[in-house]
């Protein structure tokens, strides 16, 4: 039999509890156990006036932002609508049914003001990392690093070719916020000072973003999201926004390793990365700090004509010379210099040469230097560190490290596909940094919730 038609009937009184209507296995219940915002008000105290109208609770704004980034709600206007309608979101944000949700414009005012001035989002991220360490998810022994391109909120139609771009003609007083941030980062190693090469195009709306075709497809403006993770459970221990060029991404490695050492006293015994990070200066920097580089060496010394490569020559460190397969010596200097300015400098690239008369009568000249009078070999400044990395690449631990490196790539896939951060919504270096920090915080909170889910309560009969 068909039941009666359902009609809404207004009641004079309601007995309603948000706590009873949020499922026990809801993700936000597990996340809420690890969100510690008790220190935010004290942290921001110096950035609020002691007079005037009371502001929106900063803890409420942070909780709403965490909801947005945990569930891929990219628009703050839509976020306010979702928090208004969703009971679980209201419960997490400590809002009752009758409490009003803040206006979306409140986020912009606080983000561009006190949140950035106080570096609150960095503080929030590091608080989450500290909780991961406290829960035993981070050992600090093995770390991996990588970068992912995130499309900027810019397009080619509103850009200028490098031949016509001149930053000195910009008036900071009349420039938009993203342009002023671009001018402030011209001397920073992560942005303007990372490379002297000018990009092919510069965006008018976000000039700090990099025009790149690194994905082997149509070029676009982007920023690089750099992650330093602990490979035990894939926890992100640091994050940095840079230009989308190799020099800036590699340079961020030093910045993040120094920061985790200072903030959390984490000093890894090995660092795992791909070939882009296998440059001599970075390998030398890691070896000097007793960090084993589990990184493929970025090496262009190989030859494709079948002749002997540098790897076929034996290095004699004691006598500062190479020994060729025929047993002849290749030396950098063959006499002592009385003038120290004419001797070896110890910097840059050194070149080792064999004697011309030896190479001319050598039976293996066709395999060694068929088109030259004598064989020459270049040796980088950090060749010892590069050789250490080559030796590590022959070990079983290195094979395990290459498998563990996939954890950081999985985090980037999760960032784009689950959290929806395929394109930035905020502009400028500060906007990119804000989004990357919030996204990394959300990923760490989701990791904690996955490893330590909220205990399930049995329902009453």
């Amino acid at each position: 039999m068909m039941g009666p038609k359902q009609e809404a009937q207004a009641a004079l009184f309601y007995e309603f509890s948000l706590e009873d209507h949020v499922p026990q296995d809801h993700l936000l219940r597990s996340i809420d156990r690890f969100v510690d915002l008790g220190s935010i008000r004290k942290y921001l105290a110096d950035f609020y006036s002691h007079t005037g109208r009371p502001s929106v609770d900063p803890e409420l704004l942070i909780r709403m932002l965490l909801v947005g980034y945990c569930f891929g709600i990219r628009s703050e206007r839509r976020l306010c609508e979702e928090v208004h309608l969703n009971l679980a979101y209201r419960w997490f944000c400590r809002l009752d049914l009758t409490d009003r949700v803040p206006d979306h414009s409140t986020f912009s005012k606080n983000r561009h003001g006190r949140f950035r001035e106080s570096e609150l989002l960095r503080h929030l991220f590091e608080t989450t990392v500290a909780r991961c360490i406290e829960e035993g998810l981070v050992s600090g022994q093995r770390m991996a690093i990588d970068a992912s391109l995130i499309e900027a909120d810019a397009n080619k139609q509103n850009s200028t070719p490098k031949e016509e771009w001149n930053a000195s003609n910009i008036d900071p007083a009349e420039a938009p916020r993203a342009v002023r941030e671009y001018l402030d980062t011209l001397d920073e190693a992560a942005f303007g000072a990372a490379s002297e090469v000018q990009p092919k195009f510069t965006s008018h709306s976000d000039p700090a973003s990099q025009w790149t075709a690194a994905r082997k497809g149509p070029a676009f403006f982007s920023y690089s999201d750099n992650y330093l993770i602990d490979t035990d459970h894939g926890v992100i221990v640091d994050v940095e926004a840079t230009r989308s060029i190799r020099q800036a991404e590699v340079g961020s490695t030093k910045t993040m390793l120094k920061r985790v050492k200072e903030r959390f006293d984490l000093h890894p015994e090995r660092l795992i990365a791909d070939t882009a990070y296998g440059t001599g200066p970075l390998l030398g920097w890691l070896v000097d700090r007793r960090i084993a580089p589990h990184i493929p060496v970025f090496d262009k010394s190989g030859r494709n004509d079948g002749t002997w490569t540098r790897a076929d020559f034996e290095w004699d460190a004691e006598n500062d010379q190479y020994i060729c397969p025929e047993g002849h010596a290749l030396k950098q200097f063959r006499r002592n210099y009385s003038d120290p300015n004419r001797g070896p400098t110890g910097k840059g690239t050194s070149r080792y040469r064999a004697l011309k008369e030896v190479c001319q009568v050598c039976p293996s000249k066709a395999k060694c230097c068929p088109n030259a009078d004598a064989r020459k070999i270049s040796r980088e400044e950090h060749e010892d560190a590069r050789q250490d990395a080559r030796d590590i690449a022959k070990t079983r631990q290195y094979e395990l490290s290459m498998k563990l490196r996939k954890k950081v790539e999985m985090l980037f896939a999760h960032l784009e596909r689950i959290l929806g951060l395929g394109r930035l919504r905020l502009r400028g270096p500060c906007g990119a940094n804000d989004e990357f920090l919030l996204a990394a915080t959300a990923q760490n909170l989701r990791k904690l919730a996955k490893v330590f889910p909220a205990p399930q309560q049995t329902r009453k009969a």
Side-chain angles (χ1 to χ4, degrees):
M1 181 178 66
M2 183 180 296
K5 183 178 180 180
Q6 182 70 34
E7 294 183 358
Q9 297 182 0
L12 186 59
F13 299 102
Y14 288 95
E15 184 178 349
F16 187 88
S17 173
L18 278 177
E19 182 69 29
D20 296 336
H21 285 76
V22 178
Q24 293 296 324
D25 59 350
H26 198 283
L27 177 62
L28 285 179
R29 280 196 179 274
S30 297
I31 289 178
D32 185 66
R33 299 163 55 237
F34 302 103
V35 176
D36 182 12
L37 304 180
S39 62
I40 282 186
R41 299 182 67 86
K42 182 178 180 181
Y43 186 83
L44 291 174
D46 295 337
F47 297 89
Y48 281 87
S49 173
H50 298 289
T51 60
R53 187 177 63 178
S55 68
V56 177
D57 186 0
E59 180 177 341
L60 170 59
L61 298 179
I62 292 299
R63 284 184 175 273
M64 289 181 65
L65 286 173
L66 289 177
V67 168
Y69 278 84
C70 283
F71 292 94
I73 305 174
R74 304 287 299 121
S75 167
E76 288 170 356
R77 187 186 298 269
R78 181 176 163 233
L79 174 62
C80 293
E81 296 174 354
E82 292 290 336
V83 172
H84 175 72
L85 295 172
N86 192 300
L87 296 180
Y89 296 172
R90 278 185 170 271
W91 174 85
F92 181 78
C93 295
R94 307 297 190 261
L95 291 172
D96 201 355
L97 284 178
T98 58
D99 292 334
R100 183 185 177 189
V101 177
D103 188 79
H104 65 88
S105 62
T106 308
F107 291 97
S108 298
K109 182 175 179 61
N110 282 273
R111 183 194 308 110
H112 296 145
R114 53 181 66 95
F115 282 9
R116 286 184 181 171
E117 293 171 2
S118 64
E119 296 187 349
L120 175 64
L121 299 182
R122 168 67 64 177
H123 171 74
L124 175 66
F125 168 74
E126 292 179 349
T127 301
T128 307
V129 175
R131 184 59 184 270
C132 292
I133 297 174
E134 180 183 342
E135 296 293 339
L137 299 185
V138 177
S139 67
Q141 296 180 351
R142 297 177 297 192
M143 293 187 183
I145 190 168
D146 204 353
S148 179
L149 301 182
I150 306 296
E151 187 175 355
D153 185 21
N155 56 69
K156 185 180 178 182
Q157 286 71 25
N158 188 25
S159 64
T160 297
K162 64 179 180 180
E163 296 82 7
E164 304 175 13
W165 178 260
N166 189 354
S168 61
N169 294 334
I170 302 175
D171 184 5
E174 300 179 357
R177 180 182 292 106
V179 178
R180 295 198 301 269
E181 292 177 6
Y182 158 75
L183 297 175
D184 293 339
T185 58
L186 289 177
D187 295 330
E188 293 186 9
F191 290 97
S195 173
E196 297 179 356
V197 179
Q198 295 298 319
K200 189 175 181 179
F201 294 96
T202 302
S203 170
H204 297 165
S205 58
D206 193 355
S209 61
Q210 178 73 25
W211 178 258
T212 178
R215 289 181 177 171
K216 309 301 181 184
F220 58 96
F221 288 104
S222 72
Y223 284 92
S224 283
D225 187 6
N226 299 271
Y227 274 3
L228 178 66
I229 74 164
D230 184 273
T231 60
D232 287 358
H233 291 86
V235 172
I236 305 166
V237 294
D238 206 354
V239 57
E240 184 81 1
T242 66
R243 288 179 65 187
S244 297
I245 56 175
R246 186 173 59 85
Q247 296 91 329
E249 295 170 358
V250 173
S252 69
T253 306
K254 301 178 182 179
T255 301
M256 291 190 285
L257 285 173
K258 290 178 181 177
R259 192 155 49 204
V260 297
K261 174 64 176 177
E262 176 184 351
R263 303 288 172 85
F264 308 111
D265 195 27
L266 296 177
H267 187 77
E269 65 179 23
R270 73 178 68 170
L271 181 70
I272 307 169
D274 58 24
T275 310
Y277 296 83
T279 61
L282 179 60
L283 295 176
W285 188 87
L286 293 173
V287 171
D288 290 343
R289 284 155 182 78
R290 297 183 180 180
I291 301 176
H294 286 234
I295 305 172
V297 178
F298 188 80
D299 194 354
K300 294 185 178 181
S301 63
R303 295 187 172 191
N304 54 13
D305 58 358
T307 58
W308 287 336
T309 65
R310 183 171 57 188
D312 295 315
F313 290 72
E314 180 183 355
W315 169 244
D316 181 4
E318 182 178 355
N319 297 309
D320 187 25
Q321 64 182 9
Y322 278 99
I323 304 298
C324 77
E326 292 289 346
H328 304 300
L330 287 77
K331 296 185 177 182
Q332 183 181 7
F333 302 100
R334 295 188 178 274
R335 61 190 178 95
N336 296 326
Y337 288 97
S338 57
D339 183 359
N341 293 327
R342 298 184 60 192
T345 62
K347 298 181 180 181
T349 303
S350 302
R351 180 158 295 186
Y352 294 78
R353 302 173 178 84
L355 293 174
K356 178 179 178 180
E357 52 269 25
V358 173
C359 288
Q360 290 296 327
V361 298
C362 180
S364 301
K365 186 176 186 303
K367 297 181 181 180
C368 183
C369 53
N371 301 321
D373 294 335
R375 180 61 188 263
K376 301 176 183 178
I377 292 181
S378 297
R379 183 176 177 83
E380 305 294 335
E381 178 184 0
H382 301 282
E383 189 61 30
D384 291 337
R386 289 156 62 93
Q387 187 58 45
D388 288 345
R390 294 189 187 100
D391 295 338
I392 291 174
K394 302 175 184 177
T395 63
R396 294 185 61 184
Q397 290 83 359
Y398 179 84
E399 296 179 4
L400 175 61
S401 296
M402 291 301 101
K403 295 179 181 179
L404 293 175
R405 190 177 66 84
K406 296 180 181 179
K407 289 189 175 184
V408 67
E409 297 175 353
M410 293 170 61
L411 283 170
F412 287 132
H414 180 270
L415 178 70
E416 184 171 347
R417 298 185 61 184
I418 306 301
L419 303 190
L421 192 61
R423 179 185 174 95
L424 293 174
R425 185 175 51 81
L426 306 179
R427 292 174 176 172
C430 292
N433 190 60
D434 289 350
E435 292 216 57
F436 294 161
L437 283 170
L438 280 169
T441 302
Q443 288 183 293
N444 281 344
L445 287 173
R446 290 176 66 110
K447 177 70 67 176
L448 284 165
K450 180 180 179 181
V451 178
F452 305 106
Q456 301 297 308
Q457 299 179 1
T458 57
R459 293 185 178 182
K460 297 180 180 179

